[in-house]
Amino acid sequence: MKISKKHKHASKNKLNHQLYEYNLKHFPEDLKGRYEEIQLYVEDDEGMVRGGLLGEICWNWIEIHTLMVDEELRGSGYGSKLLMEAERAASEKACDFIKVDTLSFQALDFYKKHGYREFGVLEQVGRDFKHYYLMKEL
């Protein structure tokens, strides 16, 4: 046996599948098989992606991995629309909460304005920043 740094997509998929199968043994029957990717995009008139939200439904929650809007479009409501669409999807799928993380220079106030509450923080990330973990119950 050895530790390897090889980057094989198949190896990554195998590890993720093994973890999924292990977790599946421990969750209630009604939550098994509840996994779905969420991909929402803001496109301009030419079809160029100018922002989006990437996440996943996992059992009884949605986890937002990425929410990004081009800097020149910030403040125009697209981030709020993306977040509301994810929340709508969560409600349709009978999720109990949404969770997200953000750095102190990113979107903490944005999420708090939308009803997300902090449940954890890591201090001194990158020496000068904080890493916040937030959730919103639905």
Side-chain angles (χ1 to χ4, degrees):
M1 299 273 195
K2 66 179 183 175
I3 304 295
S4 172
K5 292 184 180 180
K6 293 179 183 174
H7 297 282
K8 294 180 182 177
H9 190 68
S11 298
K12 179 182 171 186
N13 288 342
K14 180 180 180 189
L15 284 177
N16 283 331
H17 184 73
Q18 284 178 302
L19 179 60
Y20 175 78
E21 289 296 321
Y22 174 80
N23 289 345
L24 201 56
K25 296 175 189 175
H26 299 277
F27 271 78
E29 196 63 39
D30 64 323
L31 295 178
K32 290 183 178 180
R34 284 186 42 106
Y35 176 85
E36 181 181 333
E37 289 186 6
I38 295 175
Q39 299 177 12
L40 305 169
Y41 299 99
V42 175
E43 295 181 352
D44 64 19
D45 294 337
E46 287 79 42
M48 295 290 297
V49 173
R50 306 293 305 277
L53 183 148
L54 306 174
E56 61 191 13
I57 295 172
C58 188
W59 294 307
N60 64 325
W61 73 84
I62 285 185
E63 184 162 355
I64 297 171
H65 297 294
T66 304
L67 194 161
M68 182 70 182
V69 175
D70 285 356
E71 285 191 60
E72 65 270 12
L73 296 178
R74 292 183 192 159
S76 60
Y78 290 108
S80 295
K81 289 176 185 174
L82 289 165
L83 197 55
M84 287 187 288
E85 183 62 23
E87 290 175 5
R88 186 191 62 71
S91 293
E92 284 180 1
K93 299 291 184 172
C95 292
D96 297 321
F97 63 95
I98 297 178
K99 64 180 183 171
V100 65
D101 62 278
T102 190
L103 295 167
S104 53
F105 62 87
Q106 291 176 328
L108 179 62
D109 291 336
F110 169 79
Y111 290 113
K112 285 185 173 183
K113 180 179 88 175
H114 285 66
Y116 288 73
R117 66 173 176 81
E118 181 184 320
F119 69 87
V121 63
L122 295 174
E123 305 283 337
Q124 299 178 340
V125 175
R127 294 189 186 95
D128 298 327
F129 304 108
K130 295 180 181 180
H131 194 149
Y132 293 95
Y133 298 86
L134 302 124
M135 68 174 293
K136 182 176 183 178
E137 293 180 20
L138 301 171

